[in-house]
Amino acid sequence: MKSYVNQGIFYLYDFIYTPMLSHLIRLFYPETCAACRGFLISEEWVLCSHCRHVLPVTSHHAVAENEIVRKFYGRIPIVFGGSLLYFHKESLVQSLIHELK
């Protein structure tokens, strides 16, 4: 009989107290975007929607002869090269790299 009572207490703890505690912590220490320092909504993680859509994404994975391969051609033996984002000074990409460090 005692084990059923303990299960009920853990049930209440998991589904009531844990979300309340996490919301209270988030009230005093809100999660912010790594790029623009804006507040994140509950469905966002690391980057806000605006910053995620503004990132300068490359398409190097789709093209065999891309800028990376041309830049390193003759310097090192390279089969394929690519990058996810274009890097510009004072941009969101630079601030993300600094946050990663």
Side-chain angles (χ1 to χ4, degrees), residues 32-40 44-57 85-86 91-96:
T32 58
C33 175
C36 70
R37 298 288 182 227
F39 295 120
L40 297 177
E44 295 174 334
W45 185 66
V46 180
L47 290 176
C48 65
S49 299
H50 177 263
C51 291
R52 197 177 74 227
H53 292 292
V54 173
L55 287 175
V57 180
L85 301 169
Y86 288 108
S91 68
L92 291 176
V93 177
Q94 184 178 11
S95 65
L96 287 174

Side-chain angles (χ1 to χ4, degrees), residues 12-27:
L12 285 175
Y13 178 77
D14 288 342
F15 291 104
I16 294 175
Y17 296 117
T18 305
M20 274 202 260
L21 184 62
S22 67
H23 290 305
L24 184 65
I25 291 171
R26 198 169 183 178
L27 179 66

Side-chain angles (χ1 to χ4, degrees), residues 25-87:
I25 291 171
R26 198 169 183 178
L27 179 66
F28 293 107
Y29 300 103
E31 296 179 8
T32 58
C33 175
C36 70
R37 298 288 182 227
F39 295 120
L40 297 177
I41 60 175
S42 60
E43 291 82 25
E44 295 174 334
W45 185 66
V46 180
L47 290 176
C48 65
S49 299
H50 177 263
C51 291
R52 197 177 74 227
H53 292 292
V54 173
L55 287 175
V57 180
T58 68
S59 60
H60 291 169
H61 65 282
V63 182
E65 284 291 320
N66 56 45
E67 298 170 42
I68 303 296
V69 173
R70 280 182 261 147
K71 185 171 279 196
F72 289 108
Y73 182 76
R75 296 181 183 178
I76 59 171
I78 187 169
V79 176
F80 182 78
S83 65
L84 177 65
L85 301 169
Y86 288 108
F87 180 84

